[in-house]
Amino acid sequence: MVQPQEPEFEQAYNELLSTLNDSTLFIEHPEYKKVIPVVSVPERIIQFRVTWEDDNGNMQVNRGYRVQFNSALGPYKGGLRLHPSVNLSILKFLGYEQIFKNALTGLPMGGGKGGSDFNPKGRSDNEIRRFCVAFMRQLSRYIGQFTDVPAGDIGTGGREIGFMFGAYKQMQNQWEGVLTGKGLSWGGSLIRPEATGYGLIYYVEKMIERATNGKESFNGKRVAISGSGNVAQYAALKAIELGATVVSLSDSQGTIVNQRGITIDQIYQIQSAKLQFKSLDEIISNSSAFTSQSTKCEYIPNARPWTHVGAVDIALPCATQNEVSGDEAKALVAAGCRFIAEGSNMGSTQEAIDIFEAERKSSTNPQSAIWYAPGKAANCGGVAVSGLEMAQNSQRVSWSSEEVDAKLKQIMIDCFENCYSTAIKYSAEKNSNALPSLVMGANVAGFVKVADAMKDQGDWW
């Protein structure tokens, strides 16, 4: 199951197993223990060489991967990550999380993940096109609308999806919904770029509503967000729309903080500049939206937001895995943070999760307790709209923004209710006044759905 030198996958595996063990699931249904060794091994791992030519005529070589983890609920579904850090451990962790995340959407999708250690930053459009064609030349024989439907991820945006789709169409001589995140004029879904960020906010809306018996909302809340890509941008925009003050954004080089609140115009400036791979430091130094005294942001190099934002009500990690450490979790607790929800995958270390969960368990007043939501539940809006894009492609229809947004919001509400009710059903905690564990609820709900499908199909007995 867990191989040497796979720390990210080991963390995801241990996190799932520990919460299942902490619940009453194995007491009430001991047969489910049989599933762990089966579901934790990918059905198939594909590794391949990607050779392509750069603008100087030099041959370049990268490693390509696709981890087809579980197809019990439907075709493998999960993104393609293009980043120098990509390795098999990271993709196995992402694919493992994707199985249960996709199950929580209620849509018929299995779990997988893929990508390459290719870095698109600093590359020309022609170099990226040549890489994408070479990558798809190897991957195309293993994917299809009824087999495996990849999507975008870090480093894989609309440009890369377009190049890959065009290569697949030429190689297979057919137009099919084999990739999601496509252009709107050729099969893409409206609000797909917004989906993960919007869905995250819809999930947290339900957390606030349930914790306060409907007495509070995003209005007036101070929100700390990490990251500055699609997830962070649209989570920030939706939070501001709902009356919140967003005090931070970040990238791999540093953090910007504005205690008065980052403005919508500033987010649009970041959105535009990020398309040219500019850093936040470059953006705030050269954009007129950041130069006036009232809108000026503090830039903190080589830092994440969590120890620099002061008092906050909500923290939304939206950058990458393990971006909230144990010490940073303690800082958020001390800052009065009440809701933590991950827009990134496995955004918190196990130490940080343990701190959040200990604070939740010890509280006897739900309206002042800390409540943590894991990425597999809180950020499933992105893959949910990918699933809706698959449905539109299959039916040869296109839904309006309002239709897709309404479906997304209902999926996130249903996901929250599933996590909440499952957490109550299988809770072994003695503090009856504490809020239920959403991390346990998400893990048990997703696991049981996948395990039941696997049993029906003879994968275990």
Side-chain angles (χ1 to χ4, degrees), residues 53-312:
E53 188 179 276
D54 66 21
D55 287 344
N56 295 319
N58 298 317
M59 186 185 73
Q60 301 289 335
V61 183
N62 289 99
R63 293 174 176 84
Y65 306 89
R66 187 65 177 172
V67 179
Q68 296 178 331
F69 223 119
N70 192 287
S71 59
L73 297 179
Y76 307 107
K77 188 82 191 80
L80 296 170
R81 177 170 294 191
L82 301 181
H83 194 273
S85 67
V86 165
N87 58 42
L88 193 53
S89 175
I90 288 175
L91 293 180
K92 283 182 68 177
F93 127 63
L94 291 168
Y96 196 57
E97 292 276 290
Q98 199 77 46
I99 302 168
F100 310 110
K101 178 191 298 188
N102 293 358
L104 290 171
T105 68
L107 300 174
M109 300 181 292
K113 207 74 176 184
S116 172
D117 57 3
F118 170 78
N119 187 2
K121 289 186 178 180
R123 294 293 183 182
S124 69
D125 283 354
N126 275 329
E127 288 178 319
I128 291 171
R129 177 180 55 80
R130 287 192 290 269
F131 167 82
C132 288
V133 171
F135 181 83
M136 188 53 70
R137 186 178 297 120
Q138 300 300 323
L139 184 63
S140 61
R141 68 195 74 176
Y142 304 109
I143 62 177
Q145 63 176 327
F146 302 117
T147 306
D148 185 347
V149 184
D153 196 80
I154 293 172
T156 309
R159 172 183 54 181
E160 291 76 16
I161 291 292
F163 290 151
M164 289 182 189
F165 183 86
Y168 179 89
K169 182 163 64 76
Q170 289 181 343
M171 293 166 191
Q172 300 297 323
N173 192 31
Q174 59 186 20
W175 198 112
E176 59 177 286
V178 68
L179 292 164
T180 56
K182 298 185 291 298
L184 295 179
S185 63
W186 47 278
S189 176
L190 290 163
I191 80 161
R192 177 59 191 88
E194 298 92 331
T196 307
Y198 280 12
L200 175 64
I201 299 301
Y202 296 149
Y203 194 96
V204 177
E205 261 193 314
K206 293 300 297 182
M207 292 174 68
I208 298 170
E209 178 187 310
R210 189 60 55 88
T212 65
N213 292 320
K215 295 177 182 176
E216 297 180 28
S217 67
F218 264 97
N219 189 41
K221 296 288 189 295
R222 290 173 59 81
V223 183
I225 299 177
S226 67
S228 52
N230 273 353
V231 182
Q233 292 165 15
Y234 288 112
L237 290 170
K238 180 60 73 171
I240 293 169
E241 178 187 318
L242 295 175
T245 299
V246 173
V247 297
S248 70
L249 291 169
S250 69
D251 64 12
S252 60
Q253 299 177 38
T255 289
I256 59 171
V257 175
N258 188 337
Q259 298 294 349
R260 295 179 299 276
I262 294 170
T263 68
I264 290 175
D265 185 42
Q266 288 174 332
I267 295 170
Y268 286 147
Q269 291 286 329
I270 291 170
Q271 198 171 62
S272 176
K274 280 290 177 179
L275 295 175
Q276 284 81 47
F277 296 107
K278 292 184 179 179
S279 69
L280 286 178
D281 189 17
E282 292 177 287
I283 295 168
I284 69 170
S285 299
N286 298 298
S287 172
S288 59
F290 293 88
T291 55
S292 72
Q293 192 60 40
S294 61
T295 60
K296 191 173 183 180
C297 294
E298 178 188 7
Y299 179 74
I300 307 164
N302 304 314
R304 296 186 290 227
W306 319 121
T307 58
H308 300 279
V309 291
V312 292

Side-chain angles (χ1 to χ4, degrees), residues 118 363 389:
F118 170 78
S363 177
E389 181 176 329

